[in-house]
Short mmCIF file of all heavy atoms in Angstrom, two decimals:
data_model
loop_
_atom_site.label_atom_id
_atom_site.label_comp_id
_atom_site.label_asym_id
_atom_site.label_seq_id
_atom_site.Cartn_x
_atom_site.Cartn_y
_atom_site.Cartn_z
N GLN F 44 -14.76 25.12 13.29
CA GLN F 44 -15.72 25.48 14.36
C GLN F 44 -15.78 26.96 14.56
O GLN F 44 -16.83 27.53 14.71
CB GLN F 44 -15.35 24.79 15.70
CG GLN F 44 -15.57 23.26 15.63
CD GLN F 44 -15.13 22.59 16.88
OE1 GLN F 44 -14.29 23.06 17.69
NE2 GLN F 44 -15.64 21.36 17.07
N THR F 117 -20.25 18.53 11.08
CA THR F 117 -20.63 17.38 11.82
C THR F 117 -20.20 16.08 11.13
O THR F 117 -19.72 15.18 11.74
CB THR F 117 -22.20 17.32 12.05
OG1 THR F 117 -22.56 18.64 12.60
CG2 THR F 117 -22.52 16.26 13.06
N GLN F 120 -16.48 15.64 11.37
CA GLN F 120 -15.98 15.29 12.75
C GLN F 120 -16.48 13.90 13.17
O GLN F 120 -15.78 13.19 13.84
CB GLN F 120 -16.55 16.30 13.80
CG GLN F 120 -15.96 17.63 13.70
CD GLN F 120 -16.50 18.50 14.81
OE1 GLN F 120 -15.76 19.03 15.60
NE2 GLN F 120 -17.82 18.66 14.90
N GLU F 121 -17.73 13.59 12.82
CA GLU F 121 -18.47 12.50 13.53
C GLU F 121 -18.63 11.19 12.72
O GLU F 121 -18.88 10.15 13.32
CB GLU F 121 -19.82 12.96 13.95
CG GLU F 121 -19.85 14.24 14.80
CD GLU F 121 -19.19 13.99 16.17
OE1 GLU F 121 -19.12 12.83 16.65
OE2 GLU F 121 -18.75 14.99 16.77
N SER F 122 -18.53 11.20 11.43
CA SER F 122 -18.82 9.99 10.70
C SER F 122 -17.84 8.94 11.04
O SER F 122 -16.70 9.12 11.34
CB SER F 122 -18.84 10.28 9.18
OG SER F 122 -17.49 10.51 8.78
N ARG F 126 -13.44 8.23 11.61
CA ARG F 126 -12.84 7.72 12.89
C ARG F 126 -11.38 7.33 12.70
O ARG F 126 -10.57 7.55 13.60
CB ARG F 126 -13.65 6.59 13.38
CG ARG F 126 -13.08 5.99 14.66
CD ARG F 126 -14.15 5.55 15.61
NE ARG F 126 -13.61 5.56 16.92
CZ ARG F 126 -14.28 5.32 18.02
NH1 ARG F 126 -15.53 5.10 17.95
NH2 ARG F 126 -13.75 5.37 19.18
N VAL F 136 -8.07 7.79 25.74
CA VAL F 136 -8.16 8.79 26.84
C VAL F 136 -9.17 8.25 27.89
O VAL F 136 -10.23 7.84 27.47
CB VAL F 136 -8.68 10.13 26.38
CG1 VAL F 136 -8.77 11.10 27.50
CG2 VAL F 136 -7.76 10.71 25.29
N TRP F 143 -6.37 12.63 34.12
CA TRP F 143 -6.52 12.01 32.75
C TRP F 143 -5.42 10.96 32.51
O TRP F 143 -4.23 11.24 32.79
CB TRP F 143 -6.37 13.12 31.69
CG TRP F 143 -7.30 14.28 31.87
CD1 TRP F 143 -7.24 15.35 32.66
CD2 TRP F 143 -8.57 14.38 31.17
NE1 TRP F 143 -8.33 16.10 32.52
CE2 TRP F 143 -9.18 15.52 31.62
CE3 TRP F 143 -9.25 13.54 30.22
CZ2 TRP F 143 -10.38 15.98 31.14
CZ3 TRP F 143 -10.41 14.03 29.74
CH2 TRP F 143 -11.03 15.17 30.25
N PHE F 168 -8.59 10.59 19.35
CA PHE F 168 -8.72 10.29 20.78
C PHE F 168 -9.97 9.44 20.98
O PHE F 168 -11.10 9.83 20.71
CB PHE F 168 -8.86 11.59 21.58
CG PHE F 168 -7.72 12.51 21.32
CD1 PHE F 168 -7.84 13.54 20.38
CD2 PHE F 168 -6.48 12.44 21.96
CE1 PHE F 168 -6.79 14.41 20.06
CE2 PHE F 168 -5.43 13.21 21.74
CZ PHE F 168 -5.59 14.19 20.79
N ASN F 169 -9.78 8.26 21.51
CA ASN F 169 -10.87 7.38 21.95
C ASN F 169 -11.20 7.73 23.38
O ASN F 169 -10.30 7.66 24.25
CB ASN F 169 -10.51 5.91 21.82
CG ASN F 169 -10.23 5.57 20.35
OD1 ASN F 169 -10.93 5.99 19.48
ND2 ASN F 169 -9.09 4.86 20.12
N LEU F 170 -12.47 8.15 23.61
CA LEU F 170 -12.74 8.76 24.93
C LEU F 170 -13.61 7.82 25.78
O LEU F 170 -14.66 7.33 25.39
CB LEU F 170 -13.49 10.09 24.70
CG LEU F 170 -12.80 11.07 23.76
CD1 LEU F 170 -13.72 12.27 23.49
CD2 LEU F 170 -11.51 11.60 24.38
N GLU F 171 -13.08 7.53 27.01
CA GLU F 171 -13.83 6.63 27.87
C GLU F 171 -13.70 7.17 29.34
O GLU F 171 -12.68 7.77 29.65
CB GLU F 171 -13.10 5.21 27.78
CG GLU F 171 -13.60 4.19 28.71
CD GLU F 171 -15.03 3.68 28.42
OE1 GLU F 171 -15.18 2.86 27.50
OE2 GLU F 171 -15.96 4.21 29.11
N LEU F 176 -19.31 11.29 34.36
CA LEU F 176 -19.09 12.00 33.05
C LEU F 176 -18.00 13.02 33.20
O LEU F 176 -17.86 13.79 34.17
CB LEU F 176 -20.39 12.81 32.69
CG LEU F 176 -21.66 12.03 32.42
CD1 LEU F 176 -22.76 13.04 31.98
CD2 LEU F 176 -21.44 10.96 31.40
N HIS F 177 -17.08 13.07 32.20
CA HIS F 177 -16.06 14.05 32.05
C HIS F 177 -16.20 14.63 30.63
O HIS F 177 -16.92 14.09 29.83
CB HIS F 177 -14.73 13.52 32.28
CG HIS F 177 -14.45 12.90 33.57
ND1 HIS F 177 -14.23 13.58 34.77
CD2 HIS F 177 -14.50 11.56 33.97
CE1 HIS F 177 -14.10 12.71 35.76
NE2 HIS F 177 -14.29 11.50 35.32
N SER F 178 -15.47 15.67 30.33
CA SER F 178 -15.43 16.16 28.95
C SER F 178 -14.06 16.65 28.52
O SER F 178 -13.41 17.41 29.29
CB SER F 178 -16.41 17.32 28.82
OG SER F 178 -16.51 17.82 27.52
N PHE F 179 -13.63 16.11 27.39
CA PHE F 179 -12.25 16.38 26.89
C PHE F 179 -12.31 17.69 26.08
O PHE F 179 -13.02 17.77 25.09
CB PHE F 179 -11.90 15.22 25.92
CG PHE F 179 -10.54 15.28 25.32
CD1 PHE F 179 -9.44 14.78 25.97
CD2 PHE F 179 -10.38 15.84 24.07
CE1 PHE F 179 -8.22 14.80 25.37
CE2 PHE F 179 -9.15 15.90 23.45
CZ PHE F 179 -8.02 15.34 24.12
N TRP F 180 -11.55 18.64 26.47
CA TRP F 180 -11.60 19.98 25.82
C TRP F 180 -10.24 20.65 25.77
O TRP F 180 -9.64 20.93 26.74
CB TRP F 180 -12.62 20.87 26.52
CG TRP F 180 -12.87 22.18 25.78
CD1 TRP F 180 -12.91 22.35 24.42
CD2 TRP F 180 -13.14 23.48 26.33
NE1 TRP F 180 -13.17 23.65 24.13
CE2 TRP F 180 -13.34 24.35 25.27
CE3 TRP F 180 -13.22 23.98 27.65
CZ2 TRP F 180 -13.56 25.71 25.45
CZ3 TRP F 180 -13.51 25.28 27.81
CH2 TRP F 180 -13.70 26.17 26.73
N VAL F 181 -9.75 20.82 24.51
CA VAL F 181 -8.51 21.54 24.28
C VAL F 181 -8.94 22.74 23.50
O VAL F 181 -9.08 22.68 22.21
CB VAL F 181 -7.49 20.66 23.48
CG1 VAL F 181 -6.15 21.30 23.50
CG2 VAL F 181 -7.42 19.27 23.99
N GLY F 185 -10.01 22.62 19.35
CA GLY F 185 -11.40 22.26 18.98
C GLY F 185 -11.94 21.28 19.98
O GLY F 185 -11.21 20.58 20.71
N GLY F 186 -13.17 21.18 19.99
CA GLY F 186 -13.87 20.26 20.96
C GLY F 186 -15.26 20.71 21.19
O GLY F 186 -15.76 21.48 20.40
N LYS F 187 -15.83 20.33 22.20
CA LYS F 187 -15.44 19.41 23.22
C LYS F 187 -16.26 18.15 23.15
O LYS F 187 -17.34 18.16 22.48
CB LYS F 187 -15.51 20.01 24.60
CG LYS F 187 -16.92 20.67 24.84
CD LYS F 187 -17.06 21.50 26.04
CE LYS F 187 -16.77 22.98 25.80
NZ LYS F 187 -17.79 23.92 26.42
N LYS F 188 -15.87 17.09 23.75
CA LYS F 188 -16.63 15.81 23.65
C LYS F 188 -16.67 15.14 25.04
O LYS F 188 -15.58 15.03 25.69
CB LYS F 188 -15.96 14.91 22.61
CG LYS F 188 -16.68 13.61 22.34
CD LYS F 188 -18.04 13.71 21.64
CE LYS F 188 -17.97 14.13 20.20
NZ LYS F 188 -17.49 13.05 19.32
N ASP F 189 -17.84 14.61 25.38
CA ASP F 189 -18.00 14.01 26.75
C ASP F 189 -17.32 12.59 26.76
O ASP F 189 -17.29 11.84 25.71
CB ASP F 189 -19.41 13.83 27.07
CG ASP F 189 -19.95 15.09 27.72
OD1 ASP F 189 -19.25 16.12 27.70
OD2 ASP F 189 -21.10 15.10 28.21
N LEU F 190 -16.85 12.27 27.91
CA LEU F 190 -16.44 10.86 28.22
C LEU F 190 -17.50 10.24 29.04
O LEU F 190 -17.82 10.76 30.16
CB LEU F 190 -15.04 10.88 29.01
CG LEU F 190 -13.83 11.41 28.27
CD1 LEU F 190 -13.81 12.89 28.22
CD2 LEU F 190 -12.55 10.92 28.98
N ILE F 191 -18.06 9.19 28.56
CA ILE F 191 -19.24 8.61 29.14
C ILE F 191 -18.95 7.16 29.44
O ILE F 191 -18.53 6.37 28.52
CB ILE F 191 -20.48 8.72 28.26
CG1 ILE F 191 -20.75 10.21 27.91
CG2 ILE F 191 -21.72 8.03 28.87
CD1 ILE F 191 -21.74 10.43 26.83
N GLN F 194 -19.62 4.15 26.93
CA GLN F 194 -19.91 4.63 25.57
C GLN F 194 -18.60 4.98 24.89
O GLN F 194 -17.68 5.55 25.47
CB GLN F 194 -20.87 5.81 25.63
CG GLN F 194 -21.19 6.31 24.22
CD GLN F 194 -22.34 7.23 24.18
OE1 GLN F 194 -23.28 7.17 24.96
NE2 GLN F 194 -22.26 8.16 23.22
N ASP F 195 -18.58 4.65 23.56
CA ASP F 195 -17.43 4.67 22.76
C ASP F 195 -17.37 5.97 21.98
O ASP F 195 -17.73 6.01 20.88
CB ASP F 195 -17.47 3.42 21.83
CG ASP F 195 -16.23 3.26 21.06
OD1 ASP F 195 -15.17 3.73 21.58
OD2 ASP F 195 -16.24 2.57 20.05
N ASN F 196 -16.95 7.05 22.58
CA ASN F 196 -16.85 8.31 21.95
C ASN F 196 -15.49 8.56 21.33
O ASN F 196 -14.55 8.04 21.86
CB ASN F 196 -17.22 9.53 22.88
CG ASN F 196 -18.68 9.67 23.06
OD1 ASN F 196 -19.49 8.95 22.42
ND2 ASN F 196 -19.09 10.54 23.89
N PHE F 197 -15.43 9.47 20.37
CA PHE F 197 -14.10 9.82 19.88
C PHE F 197 -14.12 11.22 19.36
O PHE F 197 -15.18 11.84 19.20
CB PHE F 197 -13.69 8.87 18.72
CG PHE F 197 -14.32 9.11 17.40
CD1 PHE F 197 -13.71 9.87 16.41
CD2 PHE F 197 -15.64 8.66 17.17
CE1 PHE F 197 -14.32 10.12 15.19
CE2 PHE F 197 -16.33 8.96 15.94
CZ PHE F 197 -15.58 9.60 14.99
N LEU F 198 -12.89 11.77 19.19
CA LEU F 198 -12.70 13.13 18.71
C LEU F 198 -11.39 13.11 17.98
O LEU F 198 -10.46 12.42 18.35
CB LEU F 198 -12.68 14.05 19.95
CG LEU F 198 -12.50 15.53 19.80
CD1 LEU F 198 -13.25 16.22 20.93
CD2 LEU F 198 -11.01 15.96 19.95
N TRP F 199 -11.24 13.97 16.96
CA TRP F 199 -9.95 14.03 16.24
C TRP F 199 -9.68 15.46 15.78
O TRP F 199 -10.59 16.26 15.65
CB TRP F 199 -9.91 13.07 15.09
CG TRP F 199 -10.79 13.41 13.90
CD1 TRP F 199 -12.10 13.10 13.79
CD2 TRP F 199 -10.41 14.18 12.75
NE1 TRP F 199 -12.60 13.65 12.61
CE2 TRP F 199 -11.55 14.28 11.94
CE3 TRP F 199 -9.22 14.74 12.31
CZ2 TRP F 199 -11.57 14.97 10.78
CZ3 TRP F 199 -9.20 15.47 11.15
CH2 TRP F 199 -10.42 15.55 10.34
N GLN F 215 -8.84 21.26 29.62
CA GLN F 215 -9.68 21.30 30.80
C GLN F 215 -10.79 20.28 30.75
O GLN F 215 -11.34 20.16 29.63
CB GLN F 215 -10.21 22.71 31.02
CG GLN F 215 -11.40 22.86 31.93
CD GLN F 215 -10.96 22.97 33.36
OE1 GLN F 215 -10.15 23.83 33.70
NE2 GLN F 215 -11.50 22.22 34.25
N CYS F 216 -11.20 19.62 31.81
CA CYS F 216 -12.45 18.86 31.80
C CYS F 216 -13.61 19.85 31.80
O CYS F 216 -13.57 20.80 32.54
CB CYS F 216 -12.52 18.01 33.07
SG CYS F 216 -14.09 17.19 33.26
N ALA F 217 -14.51 19.70 30.86
CA ALA F 217 -15.57 20.65 30.70
C ALA F 217 -16.96 20.09 31.06
O ALA F 217 -17.94 20.63 30.66
CB ALA F 217 -15.61 21.08 29.24
N GLU F 218 -17.00 19.11 31.92
CA GLU F 218 -18.26 18.53 32.40
C GLU F 218 -18.14 18.45 33.90
O GLU F 218 -17.19 17.80 34.42
CB GLU F 218 -18.44 17.18 31.76
CG GLU F 218 -19.72 16.47 32.23
CD GLU F 218 -20.97 17.11 31.61
OE1 GLU F 218 -21.05 17.21 30.37
OE2 GLU F 218 -21.85 17.45 32.38
N PHE F 229 -5.47 19.51 32.07
CA PHE F 229 -4.30 18.80 31.51
C PHE F 229 -3.61 19.72 30.49
O PHE F 229 -4.10 20.86 30.25
CB PHE F 229 -4.71 17.46 30.93
CG PHE F 229 -5.72 17.52 29.80
CD1 PHE F 229 -5.27 17.22 28.54
CD2 PHE F 229 -7.02 17.76 30.02
CE1 PHE F 229 -6.20 17.19 27.47
CE2 PHE F 229 -7.97 17.72 28.97
CZ PHE F 229 -7.50 17.42 27.73
#
Side-chain angles (χ1 to χ4, degrees):
Q44 290 175 339
T117 309
Q120 289 182 126
E121 305 293 337
S122 70
R126 178 143 204 175
V136 179
W143 300 86
F168 305 95
N169 297 315
L170 307 172
E171 174 70 81
L176 298 185
H177 302 279
S178 181
F179 180 89
W180 187 33
V181 193
K187 50 189 93 135
K188 182 69 72 74
D189 276 9
L190 292 78
I191 303 169
Q194 184 165 323
D195 189 21
N196 278 358
F197 75 101
L198 179 149
W199 70 274
Q215 163 83 54
C216 173
E218 177 74 54
F229 61 106

